[in-house]
Amino acid sequence: MKQSPSAGYFCLVLHAHLPFVRHPEHDPFLEEDWLFEAMSETYLPLLWMLDRLHEDGVPARLALNVSPTLAAMLDDALLGSRYARRLDRLCELSELEAATSRNAHPPRAVALFYRERFAALRRYYDDGLGRDVLRALRRARDRGQIELLTCPGTHAVLPLLSCDHARRAQVRVGVESYRHCFGEAPRGMWLSECAYAHDIDALLAEEGLDYFFVDAHGVLQARPRPSRGLAAPIITPWGIAAFGRDRESSHQVWSADAGYPGDPVYREFYRDLGHDAAYDYIRPFLHEDGVRRNVGIKYHRVSGRVDLGQKEHYDVDAARQRAVVHAGNFHFNRVEQAKALRTEQAPAPVVTCLYDAELFGHWWFEGPWFLEAFFRVAAQHADVLLPVTPSEYLQREPAVFHARPNPSTWGIDGDLSMWLNGDNAWMLRHQHAAERRMVTLAAAHPHAEGPTRRVLDQAARELLLAQSSDWAFILATKSAPVYAQRRFREHLHRFHRLADAIDQGPAALQAVDPAELQPVPFPWLDYRVFA
Amino acid sequence: MDGPQLLAGADEDLGGSPLLDPKARKGESGPGGHVLHVAAEMSPYVSTGGLGEVLGSLPRALAARDWRSTVLLPLYGTLEGLAPPARRTWSGTVDVLRRTYPVDVWEGPAVQGAHLLLLDCPALFARQGVYGDAAGLFADNDVRYAVLSKVAVRLARELDPPVDVLHAHDWHAAPAVVWARELDPPLATVLTIHNHAYRGEFGPQRLAALELGDVEASVGSFLERGILDADEVTTVSPAYAQEIAAASGVFARRGDAPWGILNGLDLREWDPRSDRRIASCFDVDTLPARAKNRDALREELGLASTDDVVAAFQGRFTHQKGLDILLDAAPRLLDRNLQVVFHGDGDPRLEEGVRRLAREHPQRVGAVIGFDRDFSARLFAGTDVLLMPSRFEPCGLTQLQAMRYGAIPIVHATGGLKDTVHPLAERGRRSGASNGFWLKTLTPRALSLAVGKALRYLARPDAWRTLQRNAMTQDVSWDASAVTYGRVYGQARQKAAHRARKAPIAPVAAVAKEVVEDVEEIVEKVVEPRPGYALEGPPLPEGYSQDALHVTAQSPRLLYAYWEVPGATSLRLWLADAQRRREVAVVRARGEAWIPVEPERIYHVVLEDGSGEPRLRSNLACTPADRPLESIVDVTALSTEPEGEPPPTRAPWGELSPRDLPPPSPGPVTRGGPRRSLRLGYPLRDEDS
């Protein structure tokens, strides 16, 4: 029998997701930068960290959701080669910076750090990973470092879909994508935006999933009220486990004000060479439109509450040291938390920490160092606080409390207002109309083959892509609204054109432009997921 | 195991009698019939409280009134002591939630005046626990009792003699009254609520999946669903009936309150004249003989032999029973010349509280942890006063048993306690039927004052003896209650017959039309993206030439609805929940609205055309719980610039050696300390916008 740790368990869950952005028709394409930045700052550094821990024999246990759209991009040769080219350009720029740096500006130590880092990333991507990130993830899984999860196919907010058929399609595509990428059935699902509504667990149960995650109030306000709060997952009415997001640790990391990333020593996200350098100097490294944007080289630290212009120079070593201190503090607090939750009769508690993976590295540059230091501390005190994956916890300490989670999300105010508000509610009717049409088509053509099958598959693909939560989110935050609403319109427009062709019959099907039938993403997609 | 003879007699009276033909009967106080009781418990086989006790004794009382009883009880794994029944009454399969369960129904021994039928479904009931085990409640209790109910409804049509009334007990059997409504010819149904605190809450969606969902009903529990559909609903005391009718909206929707019918006692077991469990038998005329029982009780518990008055608490050690109040009052009580005896078990913390008190006052406080039925009799015979500070009490049997033995109850005036304990009238004057004392407010101080009042009364032996006589002679038999149940069965039959003529009956009898005056608070907008970002890309259709009406719960207090009704000119938009509806606005053929609502409710919206005919009804939307306290939480700000910066490590980039790591340091701690408020959300992403 496995011994329970004296304080409790720690379950770290990272959610890696980007909307599917791939534009072979344009080179380069601005929004593809989202992937490339996350690769350089988060995905590769996290894999790097896992490799180092493995080499040092330090156990690391965490759960990682790689969304199907992200997995499809990580698996895409075109995007892979574009990323390699991007890294080449960054190596070039950082070489140039290192060559021209002085002690004062740019700070020489930091310029050398970037030169070293980009060169190392470039080598790691080619030699360490063979440009195959999914293989590296499988390797980390097989080593027992991570448990991989899946999420709804294109990261749709399930409560916002019109019917169970549409929701089921998202869940099935998520499960199917996982099988294709990772060669087995997933055990857990990350609900997009942790959005739960009653009976969504039924759809997960249908697919044989064991668990999912909700925000704290999803569990704390479940009916009946769970006696142990967030200290243990609950069993939903459809018999699967729901882990509640721990609040205390969320704030410690998430909060820009009170959280670790706001420490003055850490790298300042918004002060970037793309804005600071002389225009003629940086112009060759910008996109074709010549607009100044972040290039990923940042010489300043947070420095406190001062204007961007007043920021002080970044000190890599001081920042790394601070990340180590914060990791120790984070571990200490989790131990204290688990001790406070521990009761004699009940199973050992679990502190479930949910984060966007991109927080670590992209938003909080030092995040991967922090995680590495955390796992090194945790390894020394595994008898007190044991890092586990969700499956492992359920296996060690079966959940016993049965309750119906409260409908909830992890967005602002814990509800759907980020994805359904005055800026984006107009999308809903269009999306729902397409869902109804797709469900009708799937029912009318249960055994389609040949051109009909190809067109139906593509229609399903277009609809799924339109359902991504990202478009509504971007319209609400207005970070890239033009692109988001155009993507939404384009997918639905193509969907209806394809659906029209189905309705019109063979001649119309033959007339569909083959260019519109590129099976990307999800080449294995079967439209009958909507049946 | 007594009772078969009684039942045999009843059989002869009822079997084949033309009176069994429902058409030949008249509703009010009919001459009897066949009742199928459906319950999760039945004493002595399985009993966790009042439900099991009632099933153990009510059938016999009914038999005396010509009502034949058959009890359908699950064959739990804990009932293995019941010999495998020899005769299979029924065998078949039941489908619940897309699964098929094979079920056998075995005829058990006839006990307590009833035929016992045991539902044998090993997949669901062959477990070592009734509702759960050490790991908690069983996850599939809804399925388990749905199967019980389905089998009950099918048996009701197949048993011989035919069943006249299906009597469902508590939430476990409530689905049976829902499904029984589909029978033709109709079957009378009665639902008895033994404890309204346990309702079988599984949520509207789950109920819908179990074929209990009626979108109009939108209730989330088995019990409430049953309350809506039963022909008659009863509970176990008149006062409790009033309390739950006031507390639960479903009775308003039914249009009537439940019957309150007091539980009775098995007087053969609880009789101080012949009870062999007590040291000295007595009756109202030989009350001085009772004193020996008090001495025996003291001796048994090692309490000091003094002139102190003995007070007793018996019951589950739970919040409901108010033991915490009693423990809080204990210091005040022990200041008086009082000894206190506790009997029961339950919450470990309360058990420890009782043990501690007994340790601190070994001469004056006795504690018997656990439940011993024989000790109960000795306790009731020996104690002067029974303390029942229950927070709520559907009926309560303890006070009835204690009063039979001349113990005077001091109770919180709630539920069945209010109906069975009659206090002294104002200003200490005796009223003719007084048999105890009330606390109108439930506080340690009120309890202490009531005990003080009782002690003053005890000092007057004649007055006290009158109280005891009143208590001991109060009718606590099942006789009166069995008569009332007979009336209820008759009423239910009448209603069922009426249903047959009137079918189909609307599940919700009346929907109040409440027009709100705050229509202007509704924002109706033309469906267009708000300006603020450019619209690019291909246009989407303005409309889809199809009727559509959809509603989404955006947050606890806001719904979003959109609609399209091609060809309509003017429509009225209504917001409805299960109980009522209100007009939102007059709207165009296509539009959207944000509608203020309440948390944790289920809504839908309806569009009516100009003639007032419903044109479209939306899906259901369930609002979440209100913005929780949890959305604003306190955290301690981390120190931003710690004093004395540690020297930077000079390790090459990307390498962190374990040697560089400090031990887990107390550092800034996020538990306790100064606090600040912080909202949940995406602070980092927001800044990106």
Side-chain angles (χ1 to χ4, degrees):
Chain A
M1 175 151 174
K2 289 173 181 170
Q3 189 77 33
S4 291
S6 63
Y9 298 93
F10 171 82
C11 180
L12 174 66
V13 187
L14 298 183
H15 167 56
H17 164 68
L18 285 174
F20 189 75
V21 178
R22 178 182 182 273
H23 293 269
E25 71 279 16
H26 298 288
D27 185 23
F29 191 82
L30 180 63
E31 279 77 12
E32 287 175 354
D33 283 1
W34 298 344
L35 173 66
F36 303 153
E37 288 172 11
M39 290 277 273
S40 295
E41 293 171 336
T42 296
Y43 308 145
L44 297 196
L46 286 179
L47 288 169
W48 219 339
M49 166 192 95
L50 291 172
D51 283 351
R52 279 196 304 272
L53 290 172
H54 178 67
E55 282 162 19
D56 292 350
V58 176
R61 294 297 279 155
L62 69 146
L64 174 66
N65 170 44
V66 180
S67 76
T69 49
L70 174 61
M73 290 191 288
L74 294 175
D75 203 25
D76 188 279
L78 173 76
L79 291 173
S81 64
R82 285 184 177 182
Y83 174 59
R85 207 175 60 205
R86 161 60 58 90
L87 272 179
D88 288 341
R89 295 289 285 157
L90 279 168
C91 288
E92 217 177 297
L93 178 60
S94 57
E95 286 279 359
L96 206 54
E97 281 291 286
T100 58
S101 66
R102 304 282 179 274
N103 278 333
H105 190 80
R108 182 159 178 75
V110 188
L112 293 177
F113 162 75
Y114 281 118
R115 186 181 68 180
E116 188 89 359
R117 176 181 167 89
F118 285 120
L121 275 173
R122 185 71 184 81
R123 285 196 302 276
Y124 184 63
Y125 186 56
D126 268 357
D127 305 337
L129 302 181
R131 295 196 183 184
D132 191 343
V133 177
L134 295 186
R135 191 179 61 193
L137 290 168
R138 287 193 295 269
R139 189 172 62 199
R141 176 197 62 192
D142 296 341
R143 285 175 190 158
Q145 293 182 299
I146 57 176
E147 175 169 327
L148 289 161
L149 315 177
T150 189
C151 74
T154 57
H155 206 259
V157 175
L158 297 184
L160 288 181
L161 303 191
S162 59
C163 60
D164 273 351
H165 286 289
R167 294 185 191 112
R168 188 176 286 117
Q170 281 280 342
V171 173
R172 285 179 176 171
V173 171
V175 170
E176 199 54 32
S177 159
Y178 187 96
R179 283 207 187 91
H180 280 268
C181 294
F182 304 116
E184 58 180 22
R187 293 181 206 158
M189 177 165 275
W190 175 280
L191 293 178
S192 322
E193 317 297 0
C194 293
Y196 174 82
H198 292 321
D199 287 349
I200 278 176
D201 45 327
L203 305 175
L204 273 50
E206 280 177 13
E207 299 302 318
L209 293 157
D210 293 336
Y211 62 86
F212 63 101
F213 307 92
V214 289
D215 204 343
H217 57 297
V219 165
L220 292 175
Q221 293 195 305
R223 296 277 181 181
R225 301 279 193 253
S227 54
R228 300 196 62 210
L230 298 171
I234 56 175
I235 299 292
T236 73
W238 294 91
I240 56 182
F243 287 82
R245 176 196 190 192
D246 176 58
R247 292 174 296 160
E248 191 174 309
S249 54
S250 294
H251 289 289
Q252 247 179 342
V253 178
W254 262 120
S255 164
D257 295 330
Y260 299 129
D263 191 286
V265 175
Y266 289 144
R267 193 176 86 161
E268 169 61 53
F269 179 84
Y270 293 99
R271 186 86 188 266
D272 190 281
L273 184 64
H275 296 277
D276 283 355
Y279 186 74
D280 290 342
Y281 171 77
I282 202 69
R283 177 70 185 85
F285 299 95
L286 299 174
H287 278 279
E288 273 179 0
D289 60 5
V291 175
R292 279 186 185 272
R293 293 191 181 86
N294 292 352
V295 294
I297 294 180
K298 302 167 204 275
Y299 287 117
H300 295 84
R301 59 192 183 107
V302 172
S303 310
R305 293 184 174 277
V306 295
D307 289 343
L308 276 181
Q310 309 296 314
K311 301 282 180 186
E312 296 162 33
H313 279 161
Y314 184 55
D315 178 337
V316 182
D317 292 328
R320 190 162 50 222
Q321 184 62 28
R322 185 61 49 85
V324 173
V325 171
H326 280 163
N329 174 258
F330 187 76
H331 184 269
F332 173 84
N333 277 306
R334 297 295 78 72
V335 170
E336 290 301 301
Q337 204 179 346
K339 279 183 188 163
L341 295 169
R342 182 99 206 206
T343 54
E344 271 181 27
Q345 287 84 14
V350 60
V351 179
T352 309
C353 300
L354 312 183
Y355 303 107
D356 268 341
E358 295 78 14
L359 172 68
F360 295 90
H362 180 60
W363 297 106
W364 178 21
F365 184 65
E366 296 79 5
W369 298 341
F370 165 87
L371 287 181
E372 179 172 348
F374 173 81
F375 281 115
R376 289 183 189 274
V377 176
Q380 294 171 4
H381 303 279
D383 55 331
V384 179
L385 184 78
L386 183 64
V388 288
T389 66
S391 292
E392 235 173 353
Y393 179 78
L394 291 174
Q395 198 184 353
R396 283 167 162 266
E397 310 283 359
V400 294
F401 196 93
H402 296 265
R404 183 160 40 97
N406 182 39
S408 51
T409 76
W410 78 342
I412 286 173
D413 290 334
D415 55 34
L416 288 167
S417 51
M418 179 52 86
W419 301 274
L420 182 67
N421 56 50
D423 287 322
N424 51 29
W426 62 270
M427 305 164 82
L428 206 60
R429 64 167 57 232
H430 297 294
Q431 182 187 313
H432 284 185
E435 287 164 7
R436 285 191 284 267
R437 194 171 185 190
M438 185 70 229
V439 171
T440 308
L441 284 175
H445 299 275
H447 309 293
E449 291 299 335
T452 313
R453 164 78 194 262
R454 278 196 296 281
V455 171
L456 281 167
D457 284 347
Q458 189 63 25
R461 188 171 287 117
E462 298 290 353
L463 172 56
L464 288 166
L465 288 169
Q467 289 171 326
S468 288
S469 72
D470 308 271
W471 314 137
F473 181 83
I474 294 171
L475 291 185
T477 60
K478 302 192 180 67
S479 50
V482 176
Y483 179 73
Q485 59 87 32
R486 194 169 61 215
R487 281 289 300 273
F488 179 75
R489 285 162 180 273
E490 281 172 354
H491 288 302
L492 287 187
H493 184 73
R494 285 201 288 268
F495 167 82
H496 285 297
R497 216 163 49 205
L498 295 165
D500 288 346
I502 298 280
D503 287 344
Q504 287 158 11
L509 289 173
Q510 294 299 336
V512 173
D513 182 354
E516 286 198 22
L517 298 177
Q518 292 299 317
V520 179
F522 317 141
W524 37 262
L525 180 68
D526 183 336
Y527 71 95
R528 279 171 288 226
V529 292
F530 282 97
Chain B
M1 270 230 206
D2 50 0
Q5 307 83 347
L6 260 177
L7 189 69
D11 268 350
E12 284 167 17
D13 286 342
L14 297 173
S17 160
L19 292 176
L20 279 176
D21 179 357
K23 290 176 203 153
R25 294 206 186 107
K26 294 179 180 173
E28 193 75 14
S29 61
H34 184 187
V35 184
L36 174 61
H37 296 274
V38 189
E41 299 180 25
M42 180 185 185
S43 174
Y45 302 114
V46 48
S47 179
T48 65
L51 169 64
E53 294 294 324
V54 169
L55 266 293
S57 51
L58 172 64
R60 186 165 51 204
L62 288 172
R65 297 279 158 188
D66 289 346
W67 288 93
R68 173 198 173 105
S69 289
T70 299
V71 180
L72 179 65
L73 180 74
L75 182 59
Y76 299 106
T78 50
L79 296 189
E80 278 168 3
L82 272 190
R87 213 179 114 200
R88 185 157 61 190
T89 303
W90 187 85
S91 183
T93 60
V94 179
D95 293 334
V96 173
L97 289 182
R98 299 193 293 275
R99 280 196 61 183
T100 300
Y101 297 91
V103 176
D104 289 318
V105 176
W106 303 95
E107 187 157 324
V111 290
Q112 302 285 350
H115 269 311
L116 175 59
L117 296 178
L118 296 165
L119 182 151
D120 186 10
C121 180
L124 296 175
F125 291 108
R127 306 175 189 175
Q128 293 304 310
V130 180
Y131 308 120
D133 54 23
L137 288 176
F138 294 132
D140 54 353
N141 275 340
D142 51 349
V143 174
R144 299 169 78 221
Y145 292 107
V147 167
L148 173 70
S149 292
K150 282 205 167 176
V151 172
V153 172
R154 284 163 69 175
L155 278 180
R157 275 293 173 255
E158 295 182 24
L159 285 182
D160 183 32
V163 170
D164 299 297
V165 179
L166 188 152
H167 189 163
H169 294 268
D170 267 352
W171 69 265
H172 321 94
V177 305
V178 181
W179 292 322
R181 281 183 85 95
E182 292 161 11
L183 294 177
D184 184 29
L187 176 66
T189 57
V190 174
L191 173 65
T192 293
I193 302 164
H194 296 267
N195 192 340
H196 189 254
Y198 300 101
R199 292 190 280 274
E201 296 273 2
F202 302 107
Q205 284 85 351
R206 187 71 165 187
L207 262 61
L210 288 163
E211 300 166 45
L212 289 167
D214 182 329
V215 288
E216 292 285 354
S218 78
V219 294
S221 70
F222 276 17
L223 188 70
E224 289 172 308
R225 194 67 194 82
I227 290 170
L228 285 178
D229 273 14
D231 289 321
E232 293 296 338
V233 180
T234 75
T235 186
V236 290
S237 70
Y240 193 59
Q242 284 181 9
E243 288 170 17
I244 62 176
S248 173
V250 286
F251 290 105
R253 291 166 61 186
R254 263 189 72 86
D256 60 16
W259 297 68
I261 308 173
L262 281 169
N263 289 338
L265 283 189
D266 179 352
L267 300 186
R268 293 177 311 178
E269 180 183 359
W270 302 100
D271 187 351
R273 289 172 302 185
S274 55
D275 196 330
R276 293 182 181 172
R277 300 172 294 192
I278 62 179
S280 166
C281 291
F282 59 94
D283 62 17
V284 284
D285 298 322
T286 55
L287 273 172
R290 189 176 184 275
K292 286 184 188 166
N293 292 309
R294 186 170 53 193
D295 296 340
L297 180 67
R298 283 189 174 127
E299 194 180 332
E300 179 176 358
L301 297 175
L303 301 180
S305 188
T306 64
D307 290 336
D308 285 357
V309 172
V310 178
F313 173 94
Q314 175 180 301
R316 280 173 291 119
F317 289 3
T318 60
H319 184 256
Q320 181 207 329
K321 297 291 181 186
L323 179 58
D324 51 323
I325 304 266
L326 176 52
L327 289 175
D328 285 348
R332 288 198 188 97
L333 298 181
L334 293 171
D335 278 346
R336 305 175 187 276
N337 55 337
L338 199 69
Q339 294 175 328
V340 188
V341 180
F342 295 87
H343 178 212
D345 56 15
D347 186 334
R349 285 168 303 179
L350 292 172
E351 283 183 14
E352 181 48 35
V354 168
R355 283 200 185 94
R356 193 182 321 120
L357 202 63
R359 278 197 303 272
E360 288 167 3
H361 305 276
Q363 300 272 301
R364 303 183 61 201
V365 176
V368 177
I369 306 294
F371 184 76
D372 177 347
R373 209 174 173 88
D374 292 350
F375 179 73
S376 290
R378 298 198 292 276
L379 180 65
F380 298 146
T383 187
D384 297 298
V385 169
L386 177 80
L387 302 173
M388 279 188 84
S390 300
R391 287 189 165 81
F392 68 92
E393 196 67 69
C395 175
L397 289 173
T398 310
Q399 83 280 11
L400 301 183
Q401 293 159 351
M403 286 193 291
R404 286 283 288 168
Y405 288 74
I408 298 304
I410 299 177
V411 303
H412 178 218
T414 180
L417 298 177
K418 207 168 163 181
D419 290 318
T420 55
V421 176
H422 309 295
L424 291 159
E426 292 294 321
R427 298 189 179 189
R429 282 183 288 114
R430 275 181 296 165
S431 75
S434 299
N435 57 11
F437 299 86
W438 276 9
L439 287 70
K440 286 186 180 168
T441 56
L442 187 59
T443 61
R445 181 178 150 77
L447 180 59
S448 171
L449 290 175
V451 169
K453 190 172 171 186
L455 293 184
R456 286 196 297 280
Y457 222 81
L458 247 164
R460 297 156 53 198
D462 288 348
W464 189 258
R465 214 159 281 153
T466 305
L467 280 185
Q468 284 180 308
R469 278 197 203 100
N470 290 343
M472 292 172 71
T473 54
Q474 175 163 258
D475 181 8
V476 293
S477 72
W478 270 108
D479 293 346
S481 298
V483 171
T484 313
Y485 272 113
R487 284 182 58 207
V488 171
Y489 294 151
Q491 293 269 21
R493 279 178 172 173
Q494 273 193 338
K495 280 195 184 172
H498 184 64
R499 235 177 329 124
R501 290 195 296 274
K502 208 179 149 193
I505 196 167
V508 178
V511 177
K513 288 197 177 185
E514 181 194 336
V515 178
V516 288
E517 295 177 359
D518 53 357
V519 169
E520 60 273 19
E521 78 178 73
I522 310 303
V523 186
E524 196 208 344
K525 298 187 300 183
V526 179
V527 180
E528 280 173 5
R530 281 205 324 209
Y533 48 82
L535 292 178
E536 289 187 6
L540 292 171
E542 287 214 344
Y544 291 88
S545 305
Q546 273 187 340
D547 284 355
L549 175 60
H550 194 276
V551 63
T552 306
Q554 184 237 37
S555 52
R557 295 185 182 274
L558 200 58
L559 293 184
Y560 172 74
Y562 71 80
W563 59 90
E564 178 179 348
V565 185
T569 50
S570 172
L571 296 159
R572 301 178 83 84
L573 180 68
W574 294 79
L575 171 72
D577 65 11
Q579 295 166 35
R580 60 204 183 114
R581 62 182 206 161
R582 66 177 194 186
E583 186 169 351
V584 175
V586 177
V587 299
R588 291 186 289 274
R590 194 165 60 240
E592 65 177 359
W594 296 92
I595 308 170
V597 288
E598 296 294 314
E600 288 196 283
R601 302 270 288 276
I602 297 177
Y603 293 97
H604 63 275
V605 290
V606 178
L607 279 173
E608 281 181 2
D609 60 20
S611 63
E613 286 297 309
R615 178 78 187 260
L616 279 182
R617 195 165 79 176
S618 76
N619 58 309
L620 297 175
C622 182
T623 50
D626 203 358
R627 294 252 155 79
L629 290 173
E630 289 84 0
S631 74
I632 304 290
V633 299
D634 293 320
V635 296
T636 303
L638 295 166
S639 70
T640 46
E641 279 286 7
E643 294 172 7
E645 289 232 6
T649 41
R650 292 291 168 191
W653 185 82
E655 286 181 25
L656 284 167
S657 152
R659 288 190 304 278
D660 296 334
L661 298 174
S665 67
V669 179
T670 57
R671 303 190 71 78
R675 287 160 183 270
R676 70 159 67 163
S677 292
L678 196 75
R679 289 182 78 76
L680 278 181
Y682 279 98
L684 296 170
R685 278 194 176 182
D686 284 349
E687 289 178 10
D688 185 38
S689 60

